[in-house]
Amino acid sequence: MVASQDLRTPVVLALQTLAVAACYYVSGQLGLLRELVVEGSVVTPIWPPTGVSVAFLLLLGLGCWPGIALGAFFVILSLTSPTPAALGVLAGNTAAPVVGYLLLRRAGFRTDLARLRDGLALVFLGAFIAMLISSTVGAGLLLVTDKVEWATFWAVWLAWWVGDAMGVLIVTPVLLLLSRVRLPLRLSRWKEATGLALIACCVVPLSAHSSISVLFLVYPLLIWAALRFQLAGSMLCALFASVLATVAATDRVGPFDRLTRVEVMIKLQAFNGAMALTALILSAVITEQINTRRSVQHACQELVEVLEHLTAGEPADGRAPVEEGGTGRRQDE
C-alpha cells in the first residue's frame, strides 16, 4: 500500500502539471484572438493566462508552477522560436503569478472573496504589483533586443502591464467562483437572474457597438448583479462586458471608432479596469455586510433562547436546576 501511494503521487503531480499547462495554453490562444498594436508592438488587451495562473496557484498551491511554465513555453512556441529573449519572457510570465500568489498568501487572502480586504488584496497585490514583473521583463527584453525604442518603451510597458493585470482582475475571480460551484445549483431567484441575463444580452452589445459612446450603461447592470447575486453576478457580468468591449475595440467600431491606437488602448483598459474594480469591491462589501448581518441575527437568536430559559427558571444550557445541598433533593428531606 505504501509503495502504491508513493507511485501515485508522481502520477498525480504529472497529470496536474499537464492540466495546468493545457489550461494556460488554451487561455493564451483565446487571448491572442484579439490584439492591439501599440507603438509597433502587438499586445493583448486582456491576457487570460495570468488570471488562470493565479487562480490555479491559489487553489492547488505553489506546486503547480511547473505547469504554468510549461504552458507559457508552449504559447511562446506557437508564436516564435525559443530564443534567449523568449525564454526570458517565459521566466517573467512564470514569476509574476508566483509572486502574486505569495503576496496574497502573506496577506491572508481567502478564495471566497467574502471580505473587502480580499478584493483589495487581489487588486493591488495579485494584479497591480505582481504583474509589474512580467511587464518589466517583457518590455525590457524588447528594448534590449532593439524591438522597441526608448521613445516607445513606456507605452509598450504600460500596455503589457495593464493586459496582464486585467487577466487577474477579470479571470481569476471567475475561476475561483467556478471552483466553489456545487451541483445541483440552488437558484432561489432564478427568475430575476434570467431577467438580468436577458437585459445584459441586449444592453451590453448595444453599448459596446453604439457610435454615441454609451459604455456607462453597463454600470447599472453591474450594480444590480452585485447587489442581488454578489460575486457570481457581478463578475460574470463584468466578464461578458469586457469580452464584448474588447471585440469592439480591436474591430475599431462603436465608441472606439476614429480613435488612434493608443487612444483605443487607453479607453478600453480604463473601461475594463474600472468595471473590474467596481465588480470586485462592491460585491466584497455587500457580501461582508450580509455575513455581518447573519452573525448579528445568529447572536440575537442565541440571546433570545438564553432569556427564554432564564424566564422559565432553567439554566441557559437547558438542564434541570440543582437545589440546595447539591444532591437534587429537597433540603428538608
Side-chain angles (χ1 to χ4, degrees), residues 122-147:
L122 184 63
V123 171
F124 291 100
L125 299 180
F128 289 172
I129 294 179
M131 296 306 123
L132 292 172
I133 298 174
S134 57
S135 60
T136 302
V137 171
L141 288 172
L142 291 178
L143 180 65
V144 171
T145 55
D146 296 327
K147 294 183 179 179

Side-chain angles (χ1 to χ4, degrees), residues 203-204 206-207 210 212-222 271:
V203 173
V204 175
L206 174 64
S207 62
S210 175
I212 58 176
S213 188
V214 288
L215 285 173
F216 58 86
L217 292 178
V218 173
Y219 286 95
L221 296 176
L222 203 64
F271 171 73

Side-chain angles (χ1 to χ4, degrees), residues 87-272:
L87 295 179
V89 172
L90 184 153
N93 289 348
T94 304
V98 170
V99 171
Y101 162 74
L102 295 175
L103 291 175
L104 290 172
R105 188 177 67 173
R106 187 172 182 82
F109 178 81
R110 293 194 332 207
T111 57
D112 57 0
L113 288 168
R115 304 174 300 175
L116 176 60
R117 59 177 293 184
D118 298 326
L120 294 176
L122 184 63
V123 171
F124 291 100
L125 299 180
F128 289 172
I129 294 179
M131 296 306 123
L132 292 172
I133 298 174
S134 57
S135 60
T136 302
V137 171
L141 288 172
L142 291 178
L143 180 65
V144 171
T145 55
D146 296 327
K147 294 183 179 179
V148 298
E149 300 178 354
W150 267 115
T152 60
F153 170 78
W154 290 111
V156 175
W157 177 89
L158 180 62
W160 196 312
W161 174 70
V162 172
D164 286 356
M166 288 303 103
V168 177
L169 291 180
I170 295 175
V171 177
T172 298
V174 174
L175 294 180
L176 294 179
L177 174 67
L178 292 177
S179 70
R180 302 177 64 85
V181 172
R182 298 293 181 269
L183 297 176
L185 296 176
R186 298 179 181 178
L187 295 178
S188 58
R189 294 191 296 269
W190 65 270
K191 292 182 180 179
E192 183 179 2
T194 303
L196 175 60
L198 292 176
I199 295 175
C201 289
C202 296
V203 173
V204 175
L206 174 64
S207 62
H209 290 81
S210 175
S211 59
I212 58 176
S213 188
V214 288
L215 285 173
F216 58 86
L217 292 178
V218 173
Y219 286 95
L221 296 176
L222 203 64
I223 296 171
W224 177 12
L227 287 172
R228 300 296 290 169
F229 304 100
Q230 288 77 59
L231 185 66
S234 62
M235 289 313 304
L236 289 176
C237 183
L239 177 63
F240 178 58
S242 177
V243 169
L244 291 188
T246 301
V247 171
T250 52
D251 290 341
R252 309 287 289 274
V253 298
F256 304 97
D257 189 19
R258 295 189 297 274
L259 298 178
T260 66
R261 292 172 177 176
V262 175
E263 289 173 343
V264 168
M265 188 270 292
I266 293 175
K267 187 171 186 176
L268 173 64
Q269 302 299 30
F271 171 73
N272 286 338

